[in-house]
Amino acid sequence: MRKIPPLHISLFASACASLLLAACSHAPTTPAAAPAPSTVVVPAEVSTAPSTVILVSVDGLRATTIGTGVMPTVDAIAASGVHAAWLTPSYPTQTFPNHYTLVTGLRPDHHGIVHNHMRDAVLGNFVSKGTSALDGRWWGGEPIWVTLQKQGGIAATMFWPGSEAEIAGQRPRYYMTYNKQMPANARVDKVLAWLDLPAAQRPGLVTLYFENYDVAAHATGADSEESINALKTVDVALARLRDGLHSRGLDASTDLIVVSDHGMITVRSEDVRYLDDLVPANSIQVIHTGPLAGLNPKRGHVQQVEKVLLGRHDHYECWRKQDLPARWQYGHNPRVPAILCQADPGWRVVMHGMPESTQRSGEHSYAPEAPEMRATFVATGPDFIDGTQLPAFDNVEVYPLLARLLHITPAANDGSVDPLLPALRDASP
Ligand code: AMP
Ligand code: ZN
Ligand code: ZN
């Protein structure tokens, strides 16, 4: 269930703590009263507050890639900074649901982006790569850029699912229309250009997103040469980012966090099962297929479809949405179809006549507890204790972490910063 975390200390309050000013003991901690990080004047010698938090996502980056040498820049952050054993994705292990969980701290059931492909009784169809994703009515909760800007800060998004939609009345001050063709290095240069803005316009939070690995892995497999090259391309861009921060003297005032949304697994075209081998195609409305199939039995066919589909099958299992395993915390949102069929790692549940769903060589959308779905968390910067190895934690904890690093009060969310406290210099409750 959703829980509301305790209010976090504002920048003003933490600056007061640093200065040990008794007069600050009544420092405001309400969202409306919290001052903008970039406008608070704190003497440099006593300030511990970073001026920037950069959140990077490498789509599909498996936890097991870290430390293998494929991504030396990410490896270096992991070795010298903070490294979690892994980041457990939320269900379903898809790009849009998990990216939005990372920036809201809400499970997909709670923020409403329950799948890359959804159907809503009022809004119609949602397609992650379509214009529907620009409609703010799909996006519930409060992304970190809104939380920051409501409290006086400035946010910039170099791509992130949800960043182009107006949510809770606003967009990031700086955002980009998603363009898959924009080279990784150019994305980094845009981030650095934002950091070069005059102080009053400079963002305190920047997101940066790379799809290179996800795209290559779907097309050619999780460990193909193309996929490894995609990881290397992203790593070169991250090296450029670190160099850019260093040459600007920003290392000491920038928290850099690298995460992923889910992992990746190589699949074989023959490892598929067909829903319409069990039920007539015209008895179901199929919302999505693949590692996770979702469908609604058509009127008059509910009993027949449920009788045949519900339960364990060869390499997959189907449930009524309300009966899904409780650990997945999923299935109560009206946008989730009535029946879900989750394939075992490596398998897919599809329909005859939908060849595109079996042509991929790499997949995610498997159960979050599958080791191959484990996502990545590494971080470095002034707020982190160097050389900290953390046990795995859930990706709902990232939003409360970001709020803490930004010295703002988080909106209600499903996470807690507690699992991160051993890695933070200021671990005060
Ligand atoms: P999927 O593999 O279906 O979960 O979706 C991942 C793909 O979504 C990536 O390869 C990107 O091409 C695409 N994508 C990522 N971010 C965005 C965005 N902000 N807008 C549109 N498409 C995106
Ligand atoms: Zn993804
Ligand atoms: Zn993908």
Side-chain angles (χ1 to χ4, degrees):
M1 282 303 294
R2 188 180 301 195
K3 57 180 184 271
I4 301 175
L7 294 184
H8 291 303
I9 197 164
S10 70
L11 173 63
F12 184 50
S14 72
C16 291
S18 306
L19 294 165
L20 295 173
L21 294 178
C24 291
S25 59
H26 300 295
T29 55
T30 56
S38 57
T39 57
V40 173
V41 180
V42 180
E45 64 276 14
V46 293
S47 171
T48 54
S51 53
T52 316
V53 176
I54 303 179
L55 177 67
V56 180
S57 166
V58 184
D59 199 316
L61 178 60
R62 289 171 295 181
T64 48
T65 302
I66 312 311
T68 61
V70 170
M71 301 186 83
T73 307
V74 178
D75 285 357
I77 296 171
S80 65
V82 178
H83 181 202
W86 69 85
L87 186 63
T88 305
S90 293
Y91 192 94
T93 58
Q94 286 204 321
T95 298
F96 270 56
N98 274 283
H99 274 88
Y100 202 51
T101 289
L102 286 162
V103 295
T104 59
L106 296 172
R107 297 289 180 187
D109 234 21
H110 294 155
H111 63 52
I113 304 297
V114 296
H115 197 276
N116 282 354
H117 299 105
M118 306 184 277
R119 183 174 292 240
D120 180 278
V122 175
L123 301 176
N125 290 329
F126 179 96
V127 180
S128 59
K129 290 151 200 161
T131 51
S132 48
L134 309 182
D135 183 343
R137 292 174 299 171
W138 287 98
W139 305 83
E142 188 176 285
I144 189 70
W145 52 82
V146 173
T147 309
L148 176 62
Q149 293 184 169
K150 275 168 78 174
Q151 296 177 48
I154 297 174
T157 49
M158 183 58 254
F159 303 154
W160 201 274
S163 63
E164 294 168 61
E166 186 179 301
I167 301 171
Q170 50 183 308
R171 292 185 170 88
R173 166 85 72 92
Y174 312 108
Y175 71 95
M176 302 282 293
T177 300
Y178 181 66
N179 172 14
K180 210 171 171 172
Q181 309 307 327
M182 186 174 183
N185 281 346
R187 299 179 193 194
V188 166
D189 291 348
K190 187 73 196 169
V191 168
L192 292 170
W194 281 326
L195 299 183
D196 286 335
L197 287 169
Q201 298 163 31
R202 197 173 173 278
L205 167 74
V206 183
T207 72
L208 172 59
Y209 169 82
F210 299 104
E211 75 285 285
N212 310 52
Y213 176 69
D214 180 80
V215 171
H218 280 307
T220 62
D223 299 296
S224 71
E225 196 181 335
E226 288 91 328
S227 298
I228 301 302
N229 285 338
L231 292 174
K232 289 180 176 164
T233 299
V234 173
D235 196 75
V236 166
L238 291 176
R240 186 181 182 91
L241 176 64
R242 293 202 83 184
D243 287 348
L245 293 173
H246 184 71
S247 66
R248 287 165 175 77
L250 294 175
D251 315 49
S253 59
T254 304
D255 287 325
L256 175 61
I257 304 167
V258 181
V259 297
S260 62
D261 49 350
H262 50 71
M264 191 67 70
I265 186 168
T266 299
V267 295
R268 306 187 309 171
S269 56
E270 61 268 38
D271 291 341
V272 294
R273 290 289 178 261
Y274 294 92
L275 286 172
D276 44 350
D277 280 350
L278 295 186
V279 294
N282 63 6
S283 67
I284 54 175
Q285 173 197 44
V286 178
I287 306 297
H288 46 80
T289 61
L292 173 62
L295 60 106
N296 295 310
K298 288 191 180 159
R299 199 173 305 161
H301 297 274
V302 175
Q303 279 192 326
Q304 166 210 7
V305 169
E306 287 193 344
K307 189 162 177 275
V308 176
L309 278 188
L310 294 181
R312 182 74 206 173
H313 302 268
D314 186 22
H315 299 297
Y316 69 102
E317 186 164 357
C318 302
W319 298 264
R320 284 192 201 101
K321 60 189 280 187
Q322 63 271 27
D323 298 331
L324 283 171
R327 65 181 180 279
W328 292 343
Q329 300 180 56
Y330 189 73
H332 297 282
N333 192 295
R335 293 176 186 164
V336 178
I339 295 180
L340 292 165
C341 297
Q342 177 64 63
D344 297 343
W347 288 76
R348 283 168 289 179
V349 181
V350 300
M351 296 282 285
H352 288 290
M354 297 175 79
E356 66 281 2
S357 51
T358 58
Q359 281 166 355
R360 292 174 154 198
S361 297
E363 285 285 11
H364 44 90
S365 305
Y366 296 105
E369 62 271 20
E372 301 89 342
M373 290 301 104
R374 291 172 178 168
T376 298
F377 181 96
V378 302
T380 186
D383 276 321
F384 294 104
I385 299 172
D386 288 344
T388 311
Q389 303 285 318
L390 287 174
F393 57 90
D394 288 3
N395 68 351
V396 290
E397 334 290 21
V398 172
Y399 170 82
L401 168 70
L402 294 170
R404 191 182 176 100
L405 297 176
L406 291 162
H407 303 273
I408 55 176
T409 305
N413 66 84
D414 294 323
S416 161
V417 77
D418 291 355
L420 275 303
L421 291 180
L424 296 180
R425 286 195 190 282
D426 176 5
S428 55

